[in-house]
């Protein structure tokens, strides 16, 4: 039995009683000020009735790019990225399709991780915490926004966190409860965002009369079991240094510390206080609930997607005009999320006065 022929845009136009140009505008999401709501509905009805499917390959060739947006990140299995992805998808809407690319665990994204998608002609890239050499290697021929990559070049669109006040509050909170020696359990991912957390905590601790111990053993991938093993390895040294609180680079690391502490017969917060970064949903229901620094994931995704969409829609803009367009909301949309999202200190039951 012969296969049915593919429905064409010309057939959709004829069915709707409109021009092919109008159909193209609707299918590509470029209707603002160009196509009336009535005609938009007529096109959509014709698409549904005829079973029209966009030929993505032909469409990409015609436009010079596809409707794919590629998110490249290390450790996408990290639960934090769930909320980031949700924010990206909410902002992009049905106009784009999001493709996820995971680098090797603990390894920063590189230019080669992005170039492998070149054949798909993506509309743009969202890259989390790239390496220092990433931007120089990649070039500037494709729309790009980097996430959680502080202190990169100022000519690159980026969305970052301002963690300083929240970390200062965390340090003051621990000092006020009598802690004088802190341990720090870090991520092995050598990204600037993790370096900054450790550096800012060390400085804030010093201002509050506390020391921070971060031995090589106290590092792991962002995985509960690995973090538990790292804590078990580091705890003998920390115990000898009178460490009474452990600050973890992520909430996932902190979950591992809570598990390892229970297995070692340590009470939290009686024997050791534990804190993290992220404020994942489970952090409210751990035993005890986890003190943490909230890093808003969904707003990070939304802000990055908004800036990327602005680049895609204004490819010929100058750097200044592009920066303005990237932070300006669409007509009728809520105000744009600031480029630097403010972290919040969240005190809970996992920190208390040391015994």
């Amino acid at each position: 039995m012969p296969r049915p022929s593919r429905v064409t845009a010309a057939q959709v136009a004829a069915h709707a009683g409109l021009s092919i140009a109008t159909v193209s505008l609707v299918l590509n999401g470029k209707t603002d000020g160009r196509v009336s709501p009535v005609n938009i509905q007529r096109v959509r009805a014709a698409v549904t009735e005829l079973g029209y499917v966009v030929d993505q390959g032909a469409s990409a060739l015609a436009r010079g790019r596809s409707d794919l947006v590629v998110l490249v990140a290390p450790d996408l299995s990290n639960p934090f990225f769930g909320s980031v992805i949700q924010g990206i998808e909410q902002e992009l809407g049905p106009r784009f399709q999001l493709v996820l690319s995971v680098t090797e665990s603990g390894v920063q994204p590189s230019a080669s991780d992005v170039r492998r998608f070149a054949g798909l002609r993506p509309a743009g890239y969202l890259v989390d915490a790239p390496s220092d050499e990433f931007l120089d290697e990649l070039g500037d021929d494709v729309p790009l926004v980097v996430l959680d990559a502080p202190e990169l070049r100022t000519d690159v669109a980026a969305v970052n966190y301002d963690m300083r006040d929240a970390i200062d509050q965390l340090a003051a909170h621990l000092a006020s409860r009598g802690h004088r020696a802190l341990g720090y359990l870090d991520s092995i991912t050598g990204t600037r965002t993790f370096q900054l957390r450790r550096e800012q905590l060390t400085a804030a601790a010093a201002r509050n009369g506390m020391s921070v111990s971060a031995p090589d053993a106290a590092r792991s991938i962002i995985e509960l079991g690995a973090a538990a093993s790292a804590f078990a390895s580091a705890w003998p040294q920390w115990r000898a240094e009178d460490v009474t609180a452990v600050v973890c680079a992520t909430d996932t690391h902190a979950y591992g510390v809570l598990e390892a502490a229970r297995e070692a017969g340590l009470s939290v917060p009686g024997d050791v206080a534990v804190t993290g970064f992220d404020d994942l949903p489970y952090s409210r229901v751990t035993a005890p609930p986890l003190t943490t620094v909230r890093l808003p994931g969904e707003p990070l995704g939304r802000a990055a997607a908004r800036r990327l969409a602005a680049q895609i829609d204004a490819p010929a803009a100058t750097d200044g005009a592009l920066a303005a367009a990237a932070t300006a909301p669409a007509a009728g949309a809520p105000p744009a999320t600031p480029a630097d999202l403010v972290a919040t200190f969240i005190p809970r039951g996992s920190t208390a006065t040391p015994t």
Side-chain angles (χ1 to χ4, degrees):
M1 183 175 180
R3 296 175 59 186
S5 60
R6 187 185 187 100
V7 177
T8 67
Q11 290 172 308
V12 172
H15 191 79
L18 299 168
S19 69
I20 295 177
T22 298
V23 171
S24 178
L25 288 171
V26 174
L27 294 178
N28 288 290
K30 298 180 179 180
T31 58
D32 289 350
R34 299 179 178 182
V35 185
S36 70
V38 171
N39 285 343
I40 292 173
Q41 186 56 41
R42 287 169 65 182
V43 171
R44 289 175 177 170
V47 166
T48 300
E49 292 167 10
L50 296 177
Y52 176 76
V53 178
V54 176
D55 185 335
Q56 297 293 348
S59 181
L61 286 172
R63 297 193 311 268
R65 63 171 185 256
S66 69
D67 63 353
L68 302 178
V69 167
V70 180
L71 170 62
V72 184
D75 299 318
L76 270 176
S77 59
N78 178 0
F80 171 74
F81 278 106
S83 59
V84 175
I85 292 169
Q86 183 177 16
I88 292 171
E89 291 181 328
Q90 288 177 350
E91 190 67 30
L92 294 179
R95 180 182 168 193
F96 298 102
Q97 299 181 63
L98 184 63
V99 176
L100 307 180
S101 176
V102 187
T103 64
E104 183 180 348
S105 183
V107 177
Q108 294 172 266
S110 66
S112 61
D113 292 316
V114 171
R115 291 196 191 101
R116 57 198 267 199
F117 291 97
L120 299 178
R121 299 174 180 264
Y125 295 99
L126 297 167
V127 183
D128 182 82
S131 61
D132 292 338
E133 300 80 17
F134 171 84
L135 296 173
D136 290 334
E137 294 177 4
L138 182 64
D140 57 2
D141 57 335
V142 179
L144 166 73
V145 175
V146 297
L147 295 75
D148 200 13
E151 301 177 0
L152 283 181
R153 295 185 339 219
T154 57
D155 61 333
V156 176
V159 183
N160 294 307
Y161 289 118
D162 180 353
M163 301 180 289
R164 190 175 301 277
D165 286 348
I167 291 175
D168 284 348
Q169 291 175 47
L170 168 61
H173 170 81
L174 293 173
S176 72
R177 279 149 179 76
H179 297 284
R180 292 295 174 261
L182 311 180
Y184 190 80
L185 201 154
D186 207 348
S187 168
I188 64 171
T189 306
T191 60
R192 183 56 184 149
T193 182
F194 286 119
Q195 294 171 4
L196 202 58
R197 295 175 201 190
R198 185 179 65 251
E199 291 171 4
Q200 291 185 353
L201 175 72
T202 300
R207 290 193 294 271
N208 285 273
M210 298 182 295
S211 63
V212 176
S213 172
D216 289 341
R219 301 170 68 245
S220 80
I221 61 173
I222 305 175
E223 193 271 327
L224 189 151
S229 296
F231 173 81
S233 297
W235 180 244
Q237 176 178 335
W238 281 338
R239 183 171 50 196
E241 295 171 344
D242 294 325
V243 166
T244 55
V246 175
V247 179
C248 301
T250 72
D251 282 7
T252 301
H253 285 102
Y255 300 160
V257 171
L258 292 175
E259 178 180 297
R262 282 193 295 270
E263 291 180 354
L266 301 171
S267 69
V268 177
D271 295 321
V272 60
V274 180
T275 81
F277 281 82
D278 289 336
D279 194 27
L280 299 177
Y282 291 131
S283 297
R284 302 172 208 160
V285 295
T286 53
L290 183 67
T291 293
T292 188
V293 172
R294 176 180 294 159
L295 303 177
E298 185 176 317
L300 180 75
R302 292 185 69 95
R306 182 181 299 126
R307 300 196 76 179
L308 184 67
Q311 287 189 43
I312 293 169
D313 291 338
T318 62
D319 288 344
L322 185 57
T327 56
T337 305
D340 286 336
L341 303 172
V342 178
T344 308
F345 172 58
I346 308 294
R348 295 194 180 106
S350 65
T351 51
T353 303
T355 57

